[in-house]
Structures are given as C-alpha cells and as structure tokens.
C-alpha cells in the first residue's frame, strides 16, 4: 500500500472526487450525442427527479441526519445560504454594471439571465455527489464511511432557501426582463427603446415612452402576484414538502424511533426511499451532460461582443470570485473566533457549507429561461463554458477546502 503525505492525499482525494462527477456528466453527454438521451428524455427525467426521486432522497436523509441534532444547531445552514446569495448578488450586480457602463451595452433580458446564472448555483446534485465521493477517498473526512445521508440532509436545509428565493424573486425578474420594453440610454445620450433579443430596437418617441410607463404601471399587480406565486412554488413542491415533513418529524419526541432505528417498525419505508433516492444524483448528472451536449450542438455562432463578455464574466464571477470571497470571509470569521463550534467539530457540516462556493450555475436555469421565453441559448452557453473549465477549478478549490477541515 502506498503512503502519501497529507498534501498529496488531499490532492488525490480532490482529483478522484471531481473525476467521479465528470465521468457521470460525460455519460449524459455521450448518450445525448448518440441520440439515446433526447431533449424530451431529459424533461421526463427531470420530472421523475422532482416528483419522486429527490423527495425520497431528501426525506430519508434528513430524518436520519436530524434525529440526533437540535434544530438550533441547524440554523447555520439557512444562514450560510442567505450569506452566499448576498455575496453572489453583490458581485453579479457590480460586474455586470461595470461591463454595461464602460465596455459594452447589455440588453435587459441578457442582463437578467446573467444575474440569475451568477446568483443561483448548483446547490443540490453536484455538492452532494462531490461530498459523498470525497468521503470515500479521504479517510479522515468521515473515517472512510459513506456520508450521503448527512451531506444530503445538511444541503437540503440550504436548498430550501435557494429554491424559495429562486422562484419568488429570480423567476419573476427573469420573466419581466423579457416581457417589458426597456428604455436604455446609450453613451451618446440618444435614447432607444430596447426590446428582447428577437426584436429590433426602434427610435424613442414621446408616444412610446408613455406606452412604456403605462405598461410598467399596469404590470405592478402582475409582478406582485408573480412574487407570491414564486414563494408558493418554492415552498410547496415535492422536495420542499419532503424537507418540511422530515424536519417536523425529527423534532417530535419518539417519532424518529419508528423510522431510524435498525429494528424500527417503519424502517422498511425509509430503506425503500433510500433505494429510490440514491438514483437521483446519477440521473441528475446524466441530465446535466445531456443539456451540455445540446448547448454544444447549437454552437457559438451569431454571438456579438456583449454575448462573449457576459459569458466570460459569468464563468469568472461564479467559479472564481464567489469562492474567493466566500472562503476568505470564513477564514476571517475563524481567525476572530466567530464560527459556530458545531461546524468546527463536524467536518461534514463544514464541508457541506464551504463546497457550495465553487459550484457552477444551477441546472434549472435552462428550464427557467424556457419558462421566461428568452435567453435559452445564452444560458446553455453559459453552463457549457463553465463546465469546460470546472474540472481544474473545482479540483483546486476542493483541495483547499479539505485543507481547512
């Protein structure tokens, strides 16, 4: 048996962990290239995950993970999710505003799609799969044992925040950016009315400005309704319901004993859900690979300067700046002793939080763009470029995160 020093062991564990992710993703890419996995097939698999596989995985993992923990110990996960969103929103707004003001004009629909791509990361499939793979390859992390259940349980407590904000704020913002006519001031102070990318710019007239204002005023109630519908959609869906029910049952005395204990009378229900839930991560990876192939198949023709700048900006901010800011902030908190003791003594908890920072954009961005009716092609290209450079970047950040544990 070969013996490695700590640094080499960390690097090997990170390389092996990320290799698992990209082999599964490449499988989806290959199936799509062979026309075995079609666009309709990815949609069917996504529905299967949403309504059956993911709820089973979340419920079974959460109930087992939380049965021995106090609810107060778990507040760090939704708090960290909110902090992540704040950092990402600030960096997204700053970078896109700088580009649109000093380098190249960005259309409102593309600006909104880029904001969503930067702010919302892959908060479920990739971090859970990577954490579980790292547990298998890095013995000191969890004594070499499987950690799928705790990783899924902790991640789901952050996922509920991301999901709610994504559908209540992100989705209405994306829809409205493509629905309205936008007035843009160009560098030479000549005003134009800018429509979505599939329409042409027309010169501004007094009548058109009045029409724009009336459209915005009359849409206020619709925007409010969209926000409430988004909140409802983020909270009342099968995965979210599974999370809420699992948390509720874990806090009721004696109830977890009927499910969690090895000889518990209802243990068979949890085992069945575990069996179905374990398929979630593999199927999700195949879907990601298939969507990447569909983006590759469309090609990168008919792209102008602003398109290229925005795609590169999304990749740089999402994969480099956000993890640098997030991990630096954690190190500052740790140096002054402000990190909760519960995450410093539990490596899986800390890893579940920190591994979110270097994740790429969320998988459901393409579906959101399709619902919004614009930017589907650009969002697909943003994801494709990120996954091209992700293996190296994710391996580097994963190695650094493991050194912090």
């Amino acid at each position: 048996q070969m013996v490695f020093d700590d640094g080499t062991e960390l690097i090997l564990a990170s390389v092996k962990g990320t290799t698992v992710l990209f082999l599964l993703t490449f499988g989806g890419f290959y199936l799509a290239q062979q026309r075995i996995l079609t666009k309709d097939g990815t949609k069917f698999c996504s529905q299967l995950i949403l309504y059956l596989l993911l709820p089973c995985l979340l419920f079974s993992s959460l109930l087992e993970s939380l049965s021995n923990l106090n609810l107060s110990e778990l507040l760090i996960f939704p708090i960290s999710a909110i902090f992540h969103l704040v950092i990402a929103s600030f960096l997204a707004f700053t970078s896109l505003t700088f580009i649109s003001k000093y380098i190249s004009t960005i259309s409102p629909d593309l600006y909104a799609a880029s904001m969503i791509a930067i702010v919302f990361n892959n908060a479920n499939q990739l971090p859970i799969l990577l954490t579980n793979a790292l547990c298998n390859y890095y013995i000191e992390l969890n004594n070499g044992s499987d950690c799928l259940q705790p990783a899924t349980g902790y991640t789901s407590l952050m996922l509920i925040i991301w999901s709610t904000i994504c559908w209540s704020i992100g989705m209405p913002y994306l829809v409205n950016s493509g629905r309205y006519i936008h007035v843009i001031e160009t560098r030479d102070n000549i005003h134009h009315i800018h429509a979505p990318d599939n329409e042409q710019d027309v010169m501004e007239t007094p009548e058109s400005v009045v029409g724009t204002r009336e459209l915005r005023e009359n849409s206020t109630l619709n925007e409010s309704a969209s926000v409430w519908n988004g909140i409802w959609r983020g909270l009342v869906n099968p995965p979210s319901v599974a999370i809420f029910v699992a948390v509720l049952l874990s806090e009721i005395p004696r109830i977890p004993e009927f499910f969690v204990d090895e000889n518990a009378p209802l243990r068979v229900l949890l085992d069945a859900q575990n069996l179905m839930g374990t398929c979630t991560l593999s199927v999700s990876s195949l879907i990601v690979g298939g969507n990447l192939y569909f983006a590759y198949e469309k090609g990168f023709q008919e792209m102008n300067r602003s398109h290229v700048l925005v795609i590169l900006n999304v990749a740089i901010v999402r994969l480099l700046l956000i993890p640098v800011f997030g991990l630096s902030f954690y190190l500052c908190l740790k140096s002054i002793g402000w990190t909760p003791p519960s995450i410093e003594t539990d490596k899986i908890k800390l890893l579940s939080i920190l591994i979110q920072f270097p994740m790429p954009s969320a998988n459901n961005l393409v579906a959101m763009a399709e619902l919004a009716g614009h930017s589907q092609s650009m969002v697909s290209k943003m994801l494709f470029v990120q996954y091209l450079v992700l293996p190296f970047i994710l391996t580097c950040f994963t190695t650094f995160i493991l050194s912090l544990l």
Side-chain angles (χ1 to χ4, degrees):
Q1 182 178 1
M2 299 181 65
V3 179
F4 302 102
D5 57 33
D6 292 340
T8 304
E9 187 177 359
L10 289 177
I11 295 174
L12 288 176
S14 300
V15 171
K16 292 178 180 178
T18 53
T19 300
V20 170
L21 299 184
F22 294 103
L23 285 176
L24 289 173
T25 304
F26 178 76
F29 190 94
Y30 170 76
L31 291 176
Q33 192 270 335
Q34 295 294 317
R35 308 301 178 185
I36 298 173
L37 182 62
T38 63
K39 291 184 178 180
D40 289 337
T42 59
K43 292 179 181 178
F44 170 77
C45 292
S46 297
Q47 295 296 313
L48 180 64
I49 290 174
L50 176 65
Y51 288 99
L52 179 63
L53 300 183
L54 184 57
C56 289
L57 177 65
L58 295 177
F59 179 82
S60 59
S61 301
L62 257 179
L63 194 59
E64 291 204 49
S65 302
L66 306 185
S67 59
N68 298 321
L69 297 174
N70 296 324
L71 191 60
S72 58
E73 297 181 41
L74 305 175
L75 291 177
I76 184 62
F77 295 104
I79 291 174
S80 66
I82 294 173
F83 170 73
H84 189 144
L85 289 172
V86 170
I87 288 182
S89 299
F90 170 76
L91 292 175
F93 175 78
T94 303
S95 61
L96 290 171
T97 301
F98 177 83
I99 292 175
S100 61
K101 187 174 182 179
Y102 296 105
I103 302 178
S104 178
T105 301
I106 304 175
S107 63
D109 50 340
L110 180 58
Y111 188 101
S114 304
M115 281 285 295
I116 301 301
I118 294 175
V119 172
F120 297 103
N121 66 303
N122 187 318
N124 186 15
Q125 167 245 346
L126 276 184
I128 294 175
L129 193 58
L130 179 56
T131 301
N132 187 54
L134 291 174
C135 286
N136 295 328
Y137 295 119
Y138 188 49
I139 297 179
E140 294 185 13
L141 189 59
N142 200 37
N143 295 321
S145 60
D146 182 90
C147 60
L148 177 62
Q149 290 179 345
T152 304
Y154 300 148
T155 302
S156 65
L157 296 175
M158 296 181 279
L159 180 64
I160 195 67
I161 300 295
W162 273 305
S163 177
T164 303
I165 295 179
C166 179
W167 290 106
S168 63
I169 298 178
M171 188 63 199
Y173 172 58
L174 188 62
V175 170
N176 294 334
S177 68
R179 179 182 299 168
Y180 302 145
I181 298 173
H182 299 265
V183 178
I184 298 179
E185 183 176 359
T186 59
R187 291 195 188 93
D188 53 1
N189 293 324
I190 299 176
H191 291 74
H192 291 72
I193 292 181
H194 185 87
D197 284 341
N198 58 346
E199 300 177 15
Q200 294 180 346
D201 291 349
V202 296
M203 292 300 297
E204 177 186 271
T205 64
E207 292 79 12
S208 65
V209 174
V210 173
T212 300
R213 290 171 182 167
E214 290 178 351
L215 178 59
R216 287 174 174 170
E217 291 172 359
N218 293 335
S219 64
T220 301
L221 293 177
N222 291 333
E223 290 182 28
S224 178
S226 297
V227 171
W228 286 110
N229 289 337
I231 293 175
W232 180 257
R233 182 170 185 171
L235 294 176
V236 185
N237 58 64
S240 298
V241 171
I243 293 172
F244 286 128
V245 173
V247 172
L248 178 63
L249 293 180
S250 68
E251 293 301 309
I252 300 177
R254 305 297 299 273
I255 292 295
E257 297 176 6
F258 290 93
F259 294 90
V260 177
D261 294 343
E262 186 175 349
N263 298 319
L266 299 179
R267 177 70 197 189
V268 63
L269 297 178
L270 218 58
D271 290 339
Q273 292 188 47
N274 274 327
L275 188 60
M276 286 191 290
T278 51
C279 304
T280 305
L281 303 178
S282 300
V283 176
S284 296
S285 300
L286 294 177
I287 294 174
V288 172
N291 288 332
L292 291 177
Y293 175 77
F294 300 143
Y296 166 78
E297 193 175 34
K298 291 179 180 179
F300 287 79
Q301 293 82 14
E302 300 180 359
M303 290 181 58
N304 57 36
R305 183 188 181 193
S306 64
H307 291 164
V308 175
L309 288 173
V310 164
I311 289 176
L312 293 177
N313 177 74
V314 170
I316 292 172
V317 176
R318 181 66 259 172
L319 299 180
L320 291 177
L321 296 186
I322 291 176
V324 168
F325 272 72
L327 295 175
S328 299
F329 187 79
Y330 163 73
L331 291 175
C332 291
L333 291 180
K334 185 177 181 179
S335 65
I336 59 179
W338 283 11
T339 54
S342 59
I343 66 170
E344 295 297 338
T345 56
D346 190 331
K347 294 182 178 180
I348 304 300
K349 285 183 181 179
L350 183 57
L351 178 61
S352 299
I353 293 174
L354 298 183
I355 205 64
Q356 295 286 346
F357 288 113
M359 288 294 126
S361 300
N363 295 339
N364 61 354
L365 290 182
V366 177
M368 292 174 65
E370 290 178 352
L371 291 174
H374 66 86
S375 304
Q376 300 98 312
S377 178
M378 285 301 299
V379 168
S380 298
K381 291 179 175 65
M382 292 174 190
L383 289 171
F384 183 79
V385 170
Q386 289 181 62
Y387 275 86
L388 280 180
V389 297
L390 187 62
F392 174 75
I393 294 177
L394 185 57
T395 300
C396 293
F397 277 114
T398 300
T399 304
F400 179 71
I401 291 172
L402 288 179
S403 69
L404 299 177
L405 304 180

